[in-house]
Amino acid sequence: MTLLEIFPSLRSGMPSPRVDTTVWPCETHYDDLGRITVGGVALADLADQYGTPAYVLDETEVRRRCRAYRKHFPNAEIVYAAKALLTKSVAGWVSEEGLSVDVCSGGELAVALAAGVDPRRLVLHGSGKPFAELEAAVAAGVGRIVIDSLTEITLLSALVSGKQQVLLRLSPGIDVHGHPAVKTGVTDQKFGFPLGSAAAAEAIERVLRQPNLELVGLHCHLGSQIYDPDHYGEAVRRLVAEMARVRADYGPVLTQLDLGGGHAVAYRSGDAEMNLYELADLIEDALDAACALNRFPRPRIALEPGRAIVAHAGVTLYRVMTVKHIEGGRTFVIVDGGMNDNPRVALYGAHYDAVVANRHPTGPHMTATVAGRYCEAGDILAADIRLPADLRPGEILAIPCTGAYHHSLASTYNGVGRPPLISVHQGRSHELIRRETPTDLLSRDLG
């Protein structure tokens, strides 16, 4: 029993600990027991109820960020990039908030349709769409399909019996200087057609020759974790000029310009992130200038935030298994999850912080590295962070900003099932995705 439990009156004299809401969901607080709560639910209670590791998702935060985009871009179409995180509930939330949904596989399409998303508000794209997935998209009545190759023009023209709206993905040759794995606006990468290239010209001509394909606009994606809005202004200038060239050379006036997503979020306190006010202002100015220069009617802008909608809404919970002090080396805190549920550290060198969720520590701290349970030396979750010196096995660690590209990238390496996804909202929790079990893994093994 603690002194606070014996003398509750001591609480009033203690400073109230705070969490950084640039990293955590806005509805994150400490309760009277010093435990972290999200959406009115103590994370330690969720760990006890659902086990660990577990993904926690704050519905209020997801909806709040959808509304922020609608507020800052009232005349644009906001298209949620489902690859960041997709479940039926998430698709339902963003759809209810007025967002369209971007899917890039038959599986994502099926989830969005099962959630009741209007197929006319769906956008399908990807760099290698199989025939069966194009067929499913056309049959479902998907609103727009982003053409990424000449092959897709041939396949679509054979599939469509009525009229299908399409966008053409172009690489505008803009280097955002991010991690090589997520630079998608440069010319030398797998997506789309290089702007101004012979291949792009051929794609435009082929689409326009197909009476059942309607080219309504252009699409680009510059990369990920972009915090400088100037890159989007440059994309507007280059692509509006291309739209004007299409009108001059072929006649049709393209009306839609999809600038993709990639807006940066802060994973740790102090990280740079995209300022939506500045982004909106810059895109408006760039549109005005580009359309005036090219004497081209203003197209409708679309943006595709994914990470920026769900990243801060997510928290992942782990239970400490052991603490290892290596003589002459580091202190490792080993937890019951790792690279299976968060591969971003191994894939991109991503940086995270971790905190104790079951109590508010007031004593000395140590520098430690949080490592996972998997049979890889690179199975690291958070390197060289500050944790309580008296951290013990059984305690709960929480890693914030894990709503995007965690559940969607999770694997079953070492035969360990993927974690559950738990939503929290106004003091209640609900299991959106249950934990994967050995029975689930064996169900696919037909040997």
Side-chain angles (χ1 to χ4, degrees):
M1 179 171 289
T2 67
L3 283 174
L4 289 178
E5 291 171 318
I6 299 172
F7 303 110
S9 61
L10 289 176
R11 296 188 195 281
S12 61
M14 294 185 63
S16 177
R18 297 181 179 180
V19 294
D20 184 353
T21 53
T22 65
V23 175
W24 293 79
C26 282
E27 295 294 320
T28 305
H29 307 284
Y30 281 91
D31 66 11
D32 289 343
L33 299 177
R35 305 177 303 172
I36 297 177
T37 69
V38 173
V41 183
L43 296 180
D45 288 345
L46 293 175
D48 290 342
Q49 181 178 356
Y50 297 102
T52 52
Y55 301 120
V56 178
L57 190 69
D58 185 357
E59 177 183 343
T60 298
E61 184 72 8
V62 173
R63 293 183 180 274
R64 188 183 74 83
R65 290 181 175 269
C66 290
R67 292 167 189 170
Y69 270 91
R70 295 287 305 279
K71 173 185 175 182
H72 284 91
F73 302 93
N75 299 316
E77 181 183 17
I78 307 303
V79 186
Y80 173 65
K83 62 181 181 177
L85 172 65
L86 185 64
T87 71
K88 289 189 291 184
S89 293
V90 171
W93 298 343
V94 300
S95 182
E96 288 166 5
E97 296 298 334
L99 274 60
S100 301
V101 179
D102 164 56
V103 297
C104 57
S105 73
E108 289 185 355
L109 172 63
V111 173
L113 293 174
V117 178
D118 183 345
R120 294 171 296 180
R121 301 292 301 277
L122 292 175
V123 179
L124 173 72
H125 81 246
S127 62
K129 308 179 193 69
F131 181 84
E133 293 187 357
L134 288 171
E135 187 176 36
V138 170
V142 164
R144 281 151 296 169
I145 296 176
V146 180
I147 288 178
D148 200 86
S149 69
L150 296 175
T151 302
E152 288 178 4
I153 301 172
T154 303
L155 294 177
L156 270 179
S157 61
L159 279 169
V160 176
S161 57
K163 200 80 167 179
Q164 176 65 58
Q165 290 191 350
V166 298
L167 301 170
L168 192 71
R169 179 160 179 171
L170 297 178
S171 305
I174 297 173
D175 189 349
V176 298
H177 304 293
H179 191 283
V182 292
K183 289 200 297 186
T184 55
V186 296
T187 299
D188 187 18
Q189 46 81 41
K190 71 173 187 174
F191 293 103
F193 304 89
L195 179 65
S197 67
E202 182 179 355
I204 292 168
E205 292 173 1
R206 283 199 190 185
V207 172
L208 294 176
R209 287 200 303 264
Q210 301 300 326
N212 52 356
L213 301 183
E214 180 185 3
L215 181 62
V216 296
L218 302 180
H219 179 287
C220 74
H221 195 286
L222 304 183
S224 295
Q225 283 296 85
I226 303 169
Y227 55 84
D228 184 352
D230 287 344
H231 296 302
Y232 294 93
E234 183 60 29
V236 168
R237 288 186 282 273
R238 296 186 186 188
L239 291 174
V240 167
E242 179 67 9
M243 296 171 89
R245 190 193 69 79
V246 171
R247 180 184 63 177
D249 291 351
Y250 305 104
V253 176
L254 306 185
T255 59
Q256 300 180 31
L257 177 54
D258 191 327
L259 296 174
H263 308 152
V265 302
Y267 279 90
R268 298 182 300 176
S269 296
D271 285 355
E273 62 181 352
M274 179 62 74
N275 183 302
L276 293 188
Y277 177 83
E278 293 178 358
L279 177 63
D281 200 41
L282 190 140
I283 288 176
E284 284 294 306
D285 289 347
L287 265 179
D288 287 342
C291 290
L293 177 64
N294 294 280
R295 298 183 178 180
F296 191 81
R298 188 185 182 93
R300 188 186 187 198
I301 293 294
L303 299 172
E304 297 179 354
R307 185 195 317 264
I309 298 292
V310 295
H312 284 162
V315 178
T316 305
L317 306 181
Y318 301 96
R319 196 172 294 275
V320 176
M321 296 289 98
T322 189
V323 179
K324 291 184 177 181
H325 303 283
I326 307 300
E327 185 175 350
R330 289 174 286 176
T331 294
F332 290 94
V333 175
I334 312 296
V335 298
D336 56 355
M339 64 189 301
N340 277 26
D341 50 78
N342 181 2
R344 293 191 68 255
V345 181
L347 286 174
Y348 310 125
H351 298 284
Y352 291 86
D353 201 358
V355 299
V356 177
N358 54 284
R359 62 183 170 105
H360 180 61
T362 57
H365 281 61
M366 62 180 175
T367 298
T369 290
V370 180
R373 60 171 291 182
Y374 300 102
C375 295
E376 299 286 342
D379 180 20
I380 301 297
L381 289 170
D384 299 326
I385 63 170
R386 301 293 288 170
L387 287 171
D390 62 348
L391 188 68
R392 301 179 298 274
E395 295 202 86
I396 303 301
L397 293 187
I399 295 184
C401 204
T402 55
Y405 301 105
H406 288 73
H407 169 77
S408 59
L409 283 175
S411 74
T412 58
Y413 181 51
N414 284 173
V416 178
R418 290 168 289 187
L421 178 63
I422 314 300
S423 71
V424 291
H425 182 60
Q426 297 180 345
R428 297 179 178 272
S429 65
H430 178 68
E431 194 171 34
L432 303 183
I433 302 288
R434 65 168 174 80
R435 186 179 303 280
E436 196 169 26
T437 67
T439 300
D440 294 322
L441 302 181
L442 286 168
S443 68
R444 299 180 62 239
D445 189 334
L446 306 181

